[in-house]
């Protein structure tokens, strides 16, 4: 089974971009764990399930499949909000642990690395991961990047709105009692505030070739 690379950090810090670049370079399987939370949120929205109805939510989790993780529908601000909301539920996190821990066993055979991206991958899901990377940037910088990306793609949004949404999600991620977002004790912290994607990727490649450990 491939060595696990855990990539954690707050929303919009560029985790998935870096995770994809690693996966492309090393032909590694990749799990964007946030998509599990998003897939559950999407099914909750579609089936109009009450967020307090844990029994129905549990049924939804049981029906989630890895194939549900590539839908474009997972990336709406409603799904952002509901996934952030439900990620504070201990029973749900516990059930999603199983999916995440199964992933390297199912897809990592014969591979050098398995990339898993999220919030609590190094601290909770794979505490024994060989490589633990925590990416960081201030919320104002993340909001600015997201705003520029939306503009570049011809979309409409306001910087202030994006910043407010990021701050709201940060607050949930940082303050939930179960698996709050924080760097694990032996994570390598990369402050991306003044680095572009290529520079971050260079740092990560050095870490993977043990040049920076
Ligand atoms: O990374 P993302 O934005 O796709 O994640 C969606 C939501 O899921 C986010 O609000 C936080 C939550 N999440 C989490 O609690 N733990 C993870 N390992 C990944 C995501």
């Amino acid at each position: 089974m491939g060595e696990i690379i855990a990539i954690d950090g707050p929303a919009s810090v560029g985790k998935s971009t870096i995770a994809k670049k690693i996966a492309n370079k090393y032909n590694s399987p990749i799990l964007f764990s946030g998509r599990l939370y998003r897939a559950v949120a999407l099914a909750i929205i579609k089936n109009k399930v009450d967020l307090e109805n844990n029994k129905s939510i549990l049924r939804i989790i049981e029906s989630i499949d890895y194939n549900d993780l590539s839908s474009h529908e997972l990336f709406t601000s409603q799904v952002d909000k509901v996934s952030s909301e439900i990620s504070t539920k201990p029973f749900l996190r516990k059930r999603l642990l199983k999916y995440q821990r199964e992933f390297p066993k199912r897809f990592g055979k014969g591979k050098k690395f398995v990339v898993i991206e999220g919030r609590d991958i190094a601290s909770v899901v794979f505490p024994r991961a060989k490589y633990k990377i925590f990416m960081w940037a201030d919320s104002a910088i993340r909001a600015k990047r997201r705003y520029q990306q939306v503009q570049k793609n011809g979309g409409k949004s306001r910087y202030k709105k994006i910043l407010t949404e990021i701050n709201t999600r940060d607050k949930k991620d940082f303050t939930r009692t179960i698996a709050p977002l924080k760097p694990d004790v032996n994570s390598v912290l990369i402050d991306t505030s003044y680095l572009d994607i290529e520079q971050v990727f260079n740092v990560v490649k050095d870490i993977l070739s043990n040049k920076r450990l």
Side-chain angles (χ1 to χ4, degrees):
M1 200 175 78
E3 296 283 9
I4 291 170
I5 305 173
I7 304 183
D8 293 301
S12 296
V13 75
K15 300 184 298 290
S16 38
T17 307
I18 288 296
K20 275 183 210 157
K21 284 179 88 70
I22 301 170
N24 279 343
K25 179 167 172 65
Y26 301 99
N27 186 26
S28 315
I30 176 167
L31 175 65
F32 302 97
S33 65
R35 292 190 190 184
L36 287 167
Y37 294 84
R38 286 174 183 275
V40 175
L42 182 62
I44 286 175
I45 295 165
K46 281 192 172 167
N47 296 299
K48 299 194 170 63
V49 170
D50 185 322
L51 289 186
E52 298 309 316
N53 187 343
N54 291 351
K55 254 195 178 159
S56 298
I57 295 179
L58 207 55
R59 238 176 287 136
I60 282 177
I61 301 171
E62 298 305 330
S63 69
I64 295 294
D65 187 275
Y66 290 116
N67 294 325
D68 297 328
L69 305 184
S70 43
S71 163
H72 285 300
E73 289 179 287
L74 297 180
F75 299 94
T76 63
S77 53
Q78 199 187 4
V79 173
D80 281 356
K81 198 164 163 281
V82 174
S83 60
S84 166
E85 200 83 38
I86 59 171
S87 70
T88 58
K89 291 178 180 286
F91 81 92
L92 179 139
R93 300 198 73 87
K94 198 164 162 219
R95 280 298 292 122
L96 292 184
L97 260 185
K98 184 177 143 246
Y99 280 85
Q100 294 169 86
R101 289 187 173 151
E102 247 172 38
F103 185 81
K105 292 184 202 143
R106 275 182 63 176
F107 301 100
K109 293 203 181 81
K111 301 284 183 183
K112 186 172 164 71
F113 299 122
V114 177
V115 186
I116 324 257
E117 172 259 3
R119 301 289 191 288
D120 61 340
I121 306 304
S123 53
V124 176
V125 186
F126 291 106
R128 296 173 65 181
K130 168 126 183 179
Y131 299 100
K132 297 180 173 184
I133 293 164
F134 193 93
M135 292 174 58
W136 176 251
D138 187 70
S139 63
I141 291 182
R142 286 179 275 138
K144 190 171 154 216
R145 287 181 189 156
R146 175 55 61 94
Y147 174 67
Q148 285 168 343
Q149 190 185 30
V150 173
Q151 279 204 318
K152 198 173 138 206
N153 296 336
K156 273 206 183 104
S157 193
R158 282 184 305 117
Y159 169 78
K160 270 233 162 110
K161 182 167 178 274
I162 295 178
L163 179 62
T164 307
E165 283 173 0
I166 286 183
N167 279 333
T168 308
R169 290 172 69 198
D170 272 6
K171 195 163 173 223
K172 283 231 164 57
D173 287 344
F174 285 122
T175 59
R176 64 175 171 243
T177 44
I178 177 170
L181 173 67
K182 62 171 185 292
D184 193 45
V185 276
N186 52 359
S187 289
V188 181
L189 180 71
I190 306 180
D191 185 343
T192 72
S193 302
Y194 304 104
L195 301 177
D196 65 23
I197 288 293
E198 285 311 316
Q199 287 171 312
V200 175
F201 189 41
N202 283 336
V203 176
V204 171
K205 281 188 289 190
D206 279 358
I207 292 169
L208 299 181
S209 57
N210 298 318
K211 281 191 197 151
R212 292 196 186 225
L213 287 181

